[in-house]
Amino acid sequence: MTTLSQFIPQHLENHHLPEGLGSVLEAIVAACVQINGQVRQGALAGILGEAGTGNVQGEDQKKLDVIANQLLINTLKTNPNVAGLASEEEDTFVACNENGGYLVLFDPLDGSSNIDVNISVGTIFSILAKPEGGLTTESFLQKGRDQAGSGYVLYGPQTQLVFTLKHGVFVFTLDEAGNFVQTLANPQVPAQTKEFAINMSNQRHWFAPMQQYIAELLAGDTGVRGKNYNMRWVASMVAEIHRILMRGGVFMYPQDARDPSKPGKLRLMYEANPLSLVLEQAGGASGNTVQAMLDIQPEGLHQRVAVVMGSREEVEYVGRLHRA
Ligand code: P6P
């Protein structure tokens, strides 16, 4: 079995990738191993529940949100290849090492509403090359297609690392000794699916195309799609996307009428883009119903976006309904 520390140098050499990129990935993973240790203890470490603080999103922070965020910041600040970082939990970017060649964006603990009820959560990360010149917010506002790499660590029944450096997708599982061991190479997202993920409680707020699409799925083999569908909703995007990577499906968080000024709930830079790169590298698709996710020109670190991602044929079908 290949460990991550064996895999990375070979992968970098095979694809002529800079050593600095591998070093940044290893730093992210090292922080996630520490986060894993905290998540696994839960109440035993007195780290469940609310932190009593809020973040730039206007969300109440869980204690583990704050702990995970600080572990990533502390680790990345010590890596000379990291010029700066941005986090869901930080209002602005954090400058790290002046001569670093990379920027890291992350959601330190996605799905944190699930922590206190022991449902899977995860860390999502995006790696960008640092542009020439001084470090500003604009340095981070790069299209998802220009990411140098991305991935996530899912703290589930197994702790698994999934990442891409744009030459395929690789899955590693944390062993009892605390080492990530490769357990899968190049999973491919099935182009078709019979499984969808959406928060149905928002149904009355959706705009017409999403109303039509979901009604067609619910009609099953009595309707135009001619097959029955199953539904899942974990309320942890990392868990949903990992399921889709493994067996197909389509995940949606659409814009809705509750606040038309908000394009969606999920964040482009450190949720949608990193997960979209993984899915596209695995043959899947991702978009905001108007354009491919990875082609969106970011305008802000914390900008939100509508999300439809997963099995290519299903994502394309949803796009057609929205353009009809
Ligand atoms: P809702 C978690 O808070 C998250 O950002 C995603 O991980 C998840 O898919 C979504 O929000 C859940 O949203 O509205 O169902 O609670």
Side-chain angles (χ1 to χ4, degrees), residues 141-152:
L141 302 183
Q142 302 178 35
K143 292 182 179 181
R145 207 166 294 288
D146 296 332
Q147 294 173 96
S150 73
Y152 56 88

Side-chain angles (χ1 to χ4, degrees), residues 110-111 199 233 235-237 251 253 265-267 271:
D110 175 66
N199 184 334
W233 191 250
S236 182
M237 189 180 186
F251 170 88
Y253 212 109
K265 170 179 183 183
L266 302 174
R267 273 68 56 154
E271 288 176 331

Side-chain angles (χ1 to χ4, degrees), residues 102-119:
Y102 294 95
L103 308 175
V104 180
L105 301 93
F106 53 85
D107 179 355
L109 212 57
D110 175 66
S112 52
S113 61
N114 286 323
I115 291 169
D116 296 353
V117 292
N118 198 22
I119 292 174

Side-chain angles (χ1 to χ4, degrees), residues 152-320:
Y152 56 88
V153 175
L154 177 60
Y155 311 108
Q158 307 112 48
T159 296
Q160 290 192 301
L161 163 68
V162 177
F163 72 87
T164 181
L165 298 181
K166 303 175 83 169
H167 294 277
V169 175
F170 303 93
V171 180
F172 290 75
T173 301
L174 194 66
D175 70 11
E176 290 178 334
N179 300 306
F180 275 108
V181 179
Q182 185 174 9
T183 42
L184 196 55
N186 282 316
Q188 292 298 298
V189 180
Q192 298 181 343
T193 185
K194 293 181 180 179
E195 196 160 67
F196 69 99
I198 194 166
N199 184 334
M200 286 297 291
S201 70
N202 299 326
Q203 190 268 344
R204 66 187 182 281
H205 304 300
W206 300 333
F207 296 124
M210 192 55 74
Q211 296 274 5
Q212 177 183 341
Y213 175 61
I214 299 299
E216 289 180 0
L217 301 188
L218 294 176
D221 60 9
T222 68
V224 297
R225 302 305 306 275
K227 60 182 179 178
N228 294 327
Y229 283 76
N230 190 18
M231 198 200 96
R232 288 284 182 274
W233 191 250
V234 181
S236 182
M237 189 180 186
V238 186
E240 315 267 15
I241 299 309
H242 188 71
R243 183 188 63 248
I244 288 169
L245 179 67
M246 292 296 108
R247 71 184 193 205
V250 59
F251 170 88
M252 292 155 283
Y253 212 109
Q255 180 181 30
D256 67 40
R258 285 178 291 180
D259 182 352
S261 68
K262 272 171 63 176
K265 170 179 183 183
L266 302 174
R267 273 68 56 154
L268 175 65
M269 297 306 293
Y270 38 78
E271 288 176 331
N273 270 347
L275 296 177
S276 297
L277 184 64
V278 169
L279 287 181
E280 277 210 8
Q281 282 283 314
S286 176
N288 66 351
T289 74
V290 173
Q291 65 183 118
M293 193 68 70
L294 298 180
D295 294 334
I296 295 175
Q297 175 54 56
E299 296 170 359
L301 278 182
H302 301 294
Q303 82 179 68
R304 298 174 189 267
V305 67
V307 172
V308 179
M309 56 171 75
S311 292
R312 179 167 295 280
E313 289 187 22
E314 210 63 40
V315 172
E316 290 170 353
Y317 185 89
V318 176
R320 288 197 296 273

